[in-house]
Amino acid sequence: MHLDFLGSLERTQTCGELRPEQAGADVVLMGWVNRRRDHGNLIFLDVRDRTGITQVVLDKELDGAAHAKGEAARPEYVVAVKGTVRLRGAGLENPNMLTGAIEVVATELLLLNDAKTPPFSPAEDAIANEEVRLKYRYLDLRREEMQRNFALRSRVAMAIRNYLVDEGFLEIETPFMTRSTPEGARDYLVPSRVHAGNFYALPQSPQIFKQILMISGFDRYFQIARCFRDEDLRADRQPEFTQIDLETTFPKQETIFRIVEGFLRAAFATAGVTIQGGFVRMTYDEAIRRYGIDKPDMRLPAMVDLTEVLTPELRTTLKVEQGLPVIGFTVPKAGVLSGTQKRALVEEIRGSFGDCGLDFLDVARLRTNEAFQPLAEAIAAKLNAEQIVFGGNNFTTDDLAIVITPKLGTPETWNYDPQWIPKKVGALRLELGKKFADKHGLFAKTGTARDYKFLWVTDFPMYEWDEAAGVWQAAHHPFTSPHEDDITSGRLVHDKGAVRALAYDIVLNGTELGSGSIRIHRKDVQAEIFRSLGMSDEEAKERFGFFLDALEYGTPPHGGIALGLDRIVMILAGATSLREVIAFPKTAKAIDLMVDAPTPVSEAQMRELSLRTVTRS
RNA sequence: GGGGACGUAGCUCAGUUGGUUAGAGCGCUGCCCUGUCACGGCAGAGGUCGCGGGUUCGAGCCCCGUCGUCCCCGCCA
């Protein structure tokens, strides 16, 4: 195989831009062979780069040398084409291609590089399995969909940068090698060569640094920052991920909300999406009560409390214990279920609840039984009202309604934690929502604005009770400020369970996009929080001494937020895994299949770092 | 740490009750073809049925173990 050098040839156009207006022009295109169609004395080469595909014609009669090279060309060869743009003849246009009205008649073809037959073709729509894609990531990334995802990611990041810079934010970098910060995840550690037995930690977030930057008087900081957390992966969780991290001095919650809403509108605009209307606000308590989760997916109707609807008489008929809570929800457009389908669904729901003391009645079934008609109608009316509030369609027989109530002989569990029932039912709501997604179409990635339901969840509890350890833990991180009146009222000391944090999450379609808070800026309040978490002064000093020192030198009120860039892009790309928007992601076991990391290191490297491996039992 | 799905040709998959020589489409190789665009025609190559063990006269199929990928729970403020 003879390969050509580029010589003095320069690319004049990309493969996606030629139009009829350029007919007659002499051009030079460079790219990969997407497909080759060989008709003997006439060969078509589709040449691809990231902007698109252009059809190149190699005619033996017009140019025998170019044609001969075209015979040798194979998919994924890298070529340079010198030729003339020509309008395609009548009936020969390809309306499916942006460049389909023209073709380039080659006068010279250079084979710049050959290519082994790839394990899968970047030109095909069908995608290979995840393992092969990740091993040959460079080929997978050549696919049009992936090229589009990363172009989108670049535009989104740029839109956010521009917005924040315009709002007076400074982009400042913070260290990758630092010490453990107070997030709750496991750290990735970096051994120190100079200080045997000591380790840096990779940041789980730049939390403390950005607060220090506020103390330093930078007023407004942001960073598109890489963060590292050594926890098990999910489709929406990678061990290293990117946050849009920001902090400002003298903020109200509203200040943060306005900024975030502003850059999200800008970011979505670059993807061609106009965010309609406002961002819904909801307290944590309301989110749990109505959705059973702290990140509600509002594309589905909320749960409704039917406790009052079940009158004592109905409870007797239905054998539902008096006074116990009853929760209902609907799955829109699930369709009228056959008896068999209903029985299967019943079994499935029982299975998902397991032996946990919840039972359910389904309205569709009740409707067929005259004795239960009043209940069915009451429930339907109640669910209907709820749907109208959220702009959905009216409840019809196509909609599946599920009503959950504790069983007779309920275990203690639900009684001891008032959130237990709504959380359980909320999980079922999502499960069924996914199960019938094809029917209701509410999760479809159509790109229309109404598919994006934004939500601020506010007033998270400051503390959560750690049953195992028997102590109160910070629900957010220990620099989060409580509501001012929870401090002045004394609740901070006497009623920890009721203390609300000035913490907020931004949620989109059931995904937590970001989380932030107004921080503590006073040393006395900070000390009180540490004390309330059972942390001694010595311990606080040991872990955060430098930060407590900084707090004493004129710390302004400040607060901020961090949003997952990967998740934002994932949703905008219509993808269901972060791997689709991270160029070189890791597998569920945190392995990079392309570079094959992690690996053992040499004995010499280990010795230099004063490390030895031991077998963990 | 736990649960589930998957693993058969380069890729996507089929493979019946355990029974002859494990198939298809795409891709690949060679030849033919001047208007294709998922080109077409003819011919051909290509298999450690993830790996190890077991049951059996006989295992892609059954059993045990193990590895890998994916999804979920725990975990991740």
Side-chain angles (χ1 to χ4, degrees), chain A residues 483-503:
Chain A
H483 274 250
E484 290 175 7
D485 51 0
D486 283 335
I487 302 176
T488 52
S489 68
R491 272 194 287 273
L492 193 54
V493 180
H494 301 109
D495 189 7
K496 291 194 171 61
V499 177
R500 296 154 302 154
L502 282 170

Side-chain angles (χ1 to χ4, degrees), chain A residues 31 61 112 128 140 158 179 211 235 250 261 284 298 307-309 325 353 364 436 448 463 485 528 541 544-545 571 580:
Chain A
E61 281 187 10
L112 299 176
D140 190 42
M158 185 54 76
R179 62 183 288 158
Q211 291 193 240
F250 313 115
E261 290 174 17
Y284 170 84
M298 296 195 309
T307 307
E308 301 302 315
V309 174
F353 278 132
F436 291 102
T448 60
Y463 302 97
D485 51 0
E528 175 57 37
K541 195 170 176 194
F544 311 119
I571 290 172
E580 304 301 309

Side-chain angles (χ1 to χ4, degrees), chain A residues 438-460:
Chain A
D438 289 344
K439 296 281 187 59
H440 57 66
L442 293 171
F443 296 166
K445 45 177 184 181
T446 61
T448 60
R450 65 182 284 273
D451 297 321
Y452 299 99
K453 305 266 196 200
F454 287 92
L455 168 71
W456 287 105
V457 179
T458 62
D459 298 310
F460 277 77

Side-chain angles (χ1 to χ4, degrees), chain A residues 465-597:
Chain A
W465 180 249
D466 185 334
E467 185 62 30
V471 293
W472 289 99
Q473 300 273 8
H476 201 58
H477 57 62
F479 309 118
T480 300
S481 176
H483 274 250
E484 290 175 7
D485 51 0
D486 283 335
I487 302 176
T488 52
S489 68
R491 272 194 287 273
L492 193 54
V493 180
H494 301 109
D495 189 7
K496 291 194 171 61
V499 177
R500 296 154 302 154
L502 282 170
Y504 33 82
D505 279 4
I506 175 84
V507 175
L508 170 58
N509 294 351
T511 297
E512 180 197 314
L513 285 189
S515 189
S517 66
I518 304 298
R519 328 295 182 187
I520 297 165
H521 63 279
R522 275 172 32 177
K523 174 155 172 109
D524 58 335
V525 177
Q526 187 66 71
E528 175 57 37
I529 298 294
F530 282 148
R531 265 199 301 280
S532 70
L533 294 171
M535 202 185 295
S536 68
D537 290 353
E538 291 72 33
E539 193 184 343
K541 195 170 176 194
E542 158 66 24
R543 288 184 62 189
F544 311 119
F546 71 101
F547 183 70
L548 296 175
D549 285 348
L551 273 182
E552 294 193 82
Y553 290 94
T555 299
H558 61 288
I561 193 167
L563 279 79
L565 176 64
D566 317 276
R567 287 184 179 176
I568 292 172
V569 178
M570 175 180 88
I571 290 172
L572 279 174
T576 53
S577 165
L578 290 184
R579 292 185 299 276
E580 304 301 309
V581 297
I582 292 175
F584 303 104
K586 291 175 180 60
T587 69
K589 287 198 175 156
I591 301 227
D592 183 326
L593 289 176
M594 187 183 70
V595 306
D596 185 26

Side-chain angles (χ1 to χ4, degrees), chain A residues 346-364:
Chain A
V346 167
E347 281 315 304
E348 200 178 314
I349 293 175
R350 286 198 206 291
S352 80
F353 278 132
D355 187 23
C356 73
L358 289 179
D359 203 348
F360 80 99
L361 316 154
D362 66 291
V363 174

Side-chain angles (χ1 to χ4, degrees), chain A residues 296-318:
Chain A
D297 190 332
M298 296 195 309
R299 292 174 300 180
L300 293 169
M303 307 189 297
V304 288
D305 188 344
L306 298 169
T307 307
E308 301 302 315
V309 174
L310 255 74
T311 60
E313 302 77 56
L314 279 168
R315 282 174 190 258
T316 306
T317 315
L318 295 172

